[in-house]
Amino acid sequence: MTDLLWPGDQRAGSCCSDAAVLDAMLLVELTWLDVLAEFGVLPVEALAGLEFTADLDAVAEAAEQSGNPVSGLVDALRAHCAATHPVAAHWLHRGLTSQDVLDTALMLCVREAGNRVQRSLRTQAKRLAELTRTHRGTVAVARTLGRPALPTTFGLTAASWLDGVLDAADDLDVALRQLPLQVGGAAGTLAGLAELLGGPRDVVEATERLARALGLVARPPWHTQRRPITRIGDALTACTDTWGRIADDVLLRSRPEFGELSEASVAGRGGSSTLPGKENPVLAVLIRRAALSAPGLAAQLHLAAANAVDERSDGAWHTEWAPLRALARRAVVAAEQTAELLDGLVVHAEWMHANAEAASEALLAERSAMRALLGLAEEPAGVSDYLGATDALIDAALARAAQYIGEEHP
């Protein structure tokens, strides 16, 4: 799967693709049959040799008949295994509803995306810790509202990026650890399952077994309580927020009039279709694109959650699928692009220092004002003489990163 209008989409591979969602739905249905067999609803031997496959195009086409892809899938699976596994065909999907299967399948797909993002965040944190250590003394201009404000160091800028990455990793970790199973039956009462198992006593155990088998969290039905969806959406958006800030800084500071940063020069990347020799900061542009689009996707998830109604929603649920998939895939892509951007980032320390010296009067104005407040005489000072608690702030970020990465902080 790739998207012509989302350059870099191929980095996500099959993650959250139609094929991946179909495979996840098949896994949910097959695993549920195993659970039913464990409870004696059908004999275990009735599942021997049972494998599920389905034609993706046929399932997608049939989805229009019921408004979701599960009903058509179940019909196709029953027809497929009726001759070889008639007992399994009879008990397939019993006790579940379509939303149970699709919600659970999407949680499995989003988990894969989130795990890939976490790996990229770890790579980013390692590189940012390296940049922070290397440039802790590289004096640069701190800008506020687009104007020179105080002296700083690029090490502190990298440490601030690092803190953002660590915050995003913390949020994503919480969301991934809470990804839930969905089993509620037709209206969230689990009545069909209770009837199937002979009473409500075994219902909780059955759902917990399914959750364990799929590596998800067992919880009460959440058909119209959609925080599980918005939580993972928010966490992925927090990641793109962080990467967007990094990309914005790189885009600004790589402008020729600043000359402080530049992307790695890669053959074939960044060229213009009409301007010879032009090198565009393509990775930063694409990362910024992801950061600008993610909040809208997350907002759609919240809009759907706010419009959930009754025990099963009439349309709001359906609007979640596409933005959740897009958000997950785009986060995977942007995560890898950010890791690559940081890995090849070129820091022009000499230009940073030159820019700071050129703006030294503005950068040291606060120092003069503070000394006057204290009744101290003005004395000559350079831009490296007014760095405040920069070193302490850098040390705090590096210590936090070491704990996350699992390294010893020097």
Side-chain angles (χ1 to χ4, degrees):
M1 175 178 178
T2 190
D3 187 339
L4 180 66
L5 299 181
W6 196 262
D9 181 70
Q10 74 282 352
R11 291 176 183 257
S14 63
C15 182
C16 295
S17 64
D18 284 349
V21 175
L22 179 64
D23 286 344
M25 292 192 296
L26 292 172
L27 177 62
V28 173
E29 293 286 6
L30 187 58
T31 307
W32 182 239
L33 278 175
D34 288 337
V35 172
L36 293 181
E38 290 173 9
F39 278 83
V41 174
L42 70 160
V44 174
E45 53 269 23
L47 303 179
L50 178 63
E51 292 183 0
F52 280 160
T53 60
D55 181 84
L56 178 57
D57 290 337
V59 171
E61 185 175 338
E64 187 178 8
Q65 303 306 313
S66 62
N68 71 77
V70 179
S71 296
L73 174 64
V74 171
D75 290 343
L77 293 178
R78 284 186 178 140
H80 175 74
C81 64
T84 58
H85 294 81
V87 176
H90 176 74
W91 290 109
L92 176 70
H93 192 70
R94 305 301 182 186
L96 301 178
T97 194
S98 56
Q99 189 169 352
D100 293 337
V101 176
L102 186 51
D103 277 351
T104 300
L106 288 173
M107 292 299 96
L108 296 175
C109 291
V110 169
R111 180 177 65 192
E112 179 196 354
N115 288 338
R116 287 186 59 178
V117 171
Q118 279 285 38
R119 290 193 291 272
S120 290
L121 286 167
R122 187 169 294 276
T123 299
Q124 295 165 25
K126 289 180 180 179
R127 173 58 174 156
L128 285 170
E130 178 186 339
L131 285 170
T132 300
R133 287 190 293 266
T134 301
H135 293 284
R136 68 182 303 146
T138 300
V139 176
V141 177
R143 300 175 177 91
T144 64
L145 302 183
R147 297 292 183 270
L150 292 172
T152 186
T153 70
F154 183 67
L156 185 57
T157 298
S160 178
W161 294 352
L162 176 58
D163 271 326
V165 165
L166 296 175
D167 285 343
D170 286 346
D171 289 346
L172 184 56
D173 180 63
V174 170
L176 289 174
R177 284 189 283 107
Q178 296 184 52
L179 290 177
L181 176 77
Q182 174 78 281
V183 174
T189 66
L190 293 164
L193 183 55
E195 191 72 19
L196 197 63
L197 299 180
R201 186 179 62 182
D202 291 329
V203 168
V204 172
E205 176 60 25
T207 58
E208 287 179 347
R209 288 193 191 186
L210 181 60
R212 285 195 298 271
L214 296 174
L216 298 172
V217 176
R219 59 157 289 171
W222 45 282
H223 288 155
T224 49
Q225 198 292 89
R226 306 305 287 172
R227 183 54 183 156
I229 296 291
T230 58
R231 181 186 294 116
I232 188 64
D234 290 346
L236 292 172
T237 303
C239 292
T240 61
D241 290 347
T242 293
W243 305 326
R245 182 271 174 102
I246 295 172
D248 283 346
D249 278 352
V250 171
L251 286 167
L252 174 66
R253 298 173 77 164
S254 65
R255 290 180 178 183
E257 53 266 39
F258 289 94
E260 298 176 354
L261 299 172
S262 59
E263 290 190 13
S265 182
V266 177
R269 176 183 289 165
S272 166
S273 65
T274 187
L275 298 174
K278 191 166 187 276
E279 285 192 30
N280 295 313
V282 173
L283 284 177
V285 167
L286 295 180
I287 295 162
R288 185 167 189 263
R289 162 207 62 175
L292 292 174
S293 68
L297 297 171
Q300 178 57 52
L301 300 180
H302 282 279
L303 182 63
N307 280 276
V309 64
D310 297 327
E311 281 63 52
R312 301 273 302 283
S313 285
D314 52 356
W317 173 54
H318 304 70
T319 68
E320 295 173 350
W321 313 335
L324 181 62
R325 190 238 299 274
L327 186 53
R329 284 184 64 84
R330 292 176 184 184
V332 170
V333 172
E336 292 190 2
Q337 289 170 334
T338 303
E340 185 176 345
L341 172 67
L342 292 172
D343 183 59
L345 188 66
V346 181
V347 180
H348 302 287
E350 69 283 2
W351 275 106
M352 289 185 180
H353 190 268
N355 289 338
E357 288 292 347
S360 60
E361 183 177 353
L363 300 184
L364 296 174
E366 184 190 67
R367 180 182 185 274
S368 298
M370 288 295 179
R371 292 184 67 83
L373 285 173
L374 294 169
L376 300 175
E378 184 63 60
E379 62 180 32
V383 287
S384 60
D385 297 323
Y386 194 61
L387 293 173
T390 295
D391 279 340
L393 296 171
I394 286 174
D395 285 339
L398 288 174
R400 185 182 174 200
Q403 186 175 19
Y404 171 66
I405 299 168
E407 295 178 350
E408 217 174 292
H409 176 48

